[in-house]
């Protein structure tokens, strides 16, 4: 991006910055494209560090406060690092009754990973979600785009170990 200095950031490589510049240039002239730009940049970096939000604002000639406002408003944007595999564990009633809590305890025991957190090696992040809409499969866990049903405490680690 001309005249805009790339900030140093440990999670953003020069190649990532090139891709980000391409995204900004693609969408810069299109009104209302900010959400798309944020989404595509998040796919590259896996989250939206504040330095990146400032860079996007400057690159798109949008007030930085507006960029932060949009990024913090939508729950699908994350301003903190995510793991390579995002785990969504259903904490809704049907899943709770069928013992999802014990699975979460096992995840914590194995990976030292709590709800809202990310493992140090960025392998996994964990979210608790209120009903994933698949109560018939309870207890339910989603890893990335994969839905896992009938997730017992005995099976949960075995399932997660398949995700490197
Ligand atoms: S309560 Fe878990 S999927 Fe509905």
């Amino acid at each position: 991006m001309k005249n805009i200095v790339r900030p140093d950031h440990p999670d953003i490589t020069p190649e990532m910055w090139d891709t980000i510049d391409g995204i900004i240039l693609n969408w810069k002239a299109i009104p209302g494209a900010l959400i798309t730009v944020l989404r595509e940049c998040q796919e590259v970096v896996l989250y939206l560090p504040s330095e990146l939000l400032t860079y996007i604002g400057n690159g798109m000639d949008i007030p930085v406060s507006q960029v932060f406002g949009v990024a913090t408003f939508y729950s699908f944007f994350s301003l903190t690092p995510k793991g390579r595999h995002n785990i969504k564990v259903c904490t809704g009633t049907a899943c709770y009754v069928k013992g999802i809590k014990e699975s979460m305890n096992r995840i914590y025991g194995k990976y030292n990973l709590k709800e809202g957190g990310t493992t140090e090696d960025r392998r996994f992040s964990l979210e608790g979600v209120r009903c994933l809409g698949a109560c018939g499969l309870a207890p339910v866990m989603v890893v990335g785009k994969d839905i896992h049903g009938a997730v017992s405490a005995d099976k949960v680690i075995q399932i997660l170990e398949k995700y490197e």
Side-chain angles (χ1 to χ4, degrees), residues 57-116:
N58 291 335
M60 297 200 58
D61 288 327
I62 293 175
V64 173
S65 58
Q66 189 183 331
V67 179
F68 273 80
V70 171
T72 52
F73 181 78
Y74 293 100
S75 61
F76 47 83
F77 292 131
S78 175
L79 277 60
T80 52
K82 286 269 184 201
R84 292 189 297 285
H85 307 288
N86 190 38
I87 307 166
K88 289 183 184 165
V89 170
C90 181
T91 57
T93 308
C95 293
Y96 194 86
V97 167
K98 292 215 170 172
I100 199 73
K101 190 81 192 148
E102 184 49 33
S103 292
M104 289 178 91
N105 289 341
R106 298 279 177 102
I107 292 172
Y108 177 62
K110 170 80 178 173
Y111 305 109
N112 193 23
L113 177 61
K114 279 188 182 164
E115 204 176 317

Side-chain angles (χ1 to χ4, degrees), residues 38-56:
L38 292 173
R39 190 178 49 71
E40 291 190 1
C41 287
Q42 181 167 275
E43 277 171 18
V44 175
V45 183
L46 301 179
Y47 73 108
L48 297 169
S50 57
E51 296 87 341
L52 175 56
L53 294 177
T54 302
Y55 188 80
I56 291 170

